[in-house]
């Protein structure tokens, strides 16, 4: 059975910005997110592309019951504003279903890890895209350079290591 990954908004946006969103869905994972994350995507092109992947059944969007929403809001109150409601909702979902969380948000990562969740970031996705031959190492190196030029919060040394390795795989 394929591992299920709950995505945080920034992962979808970063992948979309470098043209790798649909490739994420080519990985042998079931990709899930929650309605709060979908609501955070405001760019029209991103909305269209996400909507298409949802329609095609490549991304599943989960909703919450009223009881679950109360738990999420209570958790949000408890973390005293360090995390958004969407952050708390993906964390809650990952914890409840014991699945991996994908996020690029440092605070959310720390919080999730403190609750013993498995957390990965966008570099994990790059590694998987190459490992499963969804994209070539050369393409991965180029896309990683492109991503770093857009999102400078990413760990430069980790990125450089991959770019060097994948550029030399040719």
């Amino acid at each position: 059975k394929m591992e299920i990954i709950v995505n945080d908004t920034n992962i979808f946006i970063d992948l979309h910005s470098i043209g790798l969103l649909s490739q994420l869905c080519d990985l042998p994972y079931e990709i899930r997110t929650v309605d709060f994350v979908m609501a955070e995507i405001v760019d029209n092109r991103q909305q269209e592309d996400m909507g298409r992947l949802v329609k095609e059944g490549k991304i599943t969007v989960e909703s919450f019951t009223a009881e679950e929403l109360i738990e999420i809001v209570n958790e949000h109150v408890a973390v005293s504003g360090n995390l958004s409601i969407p952050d708390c909702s993906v964390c809650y979902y990952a914890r409840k279903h014991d699945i991996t969380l994908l996020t690029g948000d440092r605070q959310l990562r720390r919080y999730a890890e403190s609750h013993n969740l498995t957390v990965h970031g966008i570099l994990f996705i790059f590694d998987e895209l190459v490992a499963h031959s969804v994209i070539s190492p050369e393409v991965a190196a180029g896309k990683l350079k492109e991503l770093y030029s857009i999102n400078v919060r990413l760990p430069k040394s980790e990125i450089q290591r991959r770019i060097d390795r994948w550029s030399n795989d040719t």
Side-chain angles (χ1 to χ4, degrees), residues 64-125:
F64 298 101
T65 65
E67 289 79 13
E68 288 173 327
L69 287 173
I70 290 167
E71 289 183 50
I72 291 165
V73 169
N74 287 340
E75 185 166 350
H76 178 247
V77 171
V79 296
S80 62
N82 284 333
L83 298 174
S84 68
I85 292 265
D87 288 342
C88 291
S89 72
V90 289
C91 219
Y92 176 88
Y93 188 87
R95 209 167 50 231
K96 186 166 185 191
H97 300 276
D98 191 28
I99 55 181
T100 301
L101 178 63
L102 277 182
T103 182
D105 182 304
R106 191 175 288 131
Q107 275 184 307
L108 179 55
R109 173 186 281 260
R110 282 202 193 114
Y111 181 72
E113 285 172 343
S114 76
H115 286 80
N116 301 316
L117 288 172
T118 305
V119 188
H120 293 301
I122 198 151
L123 295 179
F124 167 82
I125 296 170

Side-chain angles (χ1 to χ4, degrees), residues 126-139:
F126 270 90
D127 293 343
E128 292 291 284
L129 288 170
V130 172
H132 293 283
S133 307
V134 175
I135 58 176
S136 68
E138 309 87 73
V139 168

Side-chain angles (χ1 to χ4, degrees), residues 155-166:
K156 192 172 181 11
S157 59
E158 286 289 312
I159 286 175
Q160 200 53 56
R161 237 186 37 233
R162 284 169 174 82
I163 289 171
D164 294 343
R165 187 170 74 232
W166 290 334

Side-chain angles (χ1 to χ4, degrees), residues 33-52:
T33 192
V34 299
D35 48 13
F36 284 111
V37 167
M38 291 299 282
E40 279 192 317
I41 297 170
V42 290
D43 177 84
N44 286 344
R45 286 248 308 286
Q46 291 169 359
Q47 276 180 343
E48 271 169 38
D49 292 339
M50 284 291 290
R52 193 185 65 248

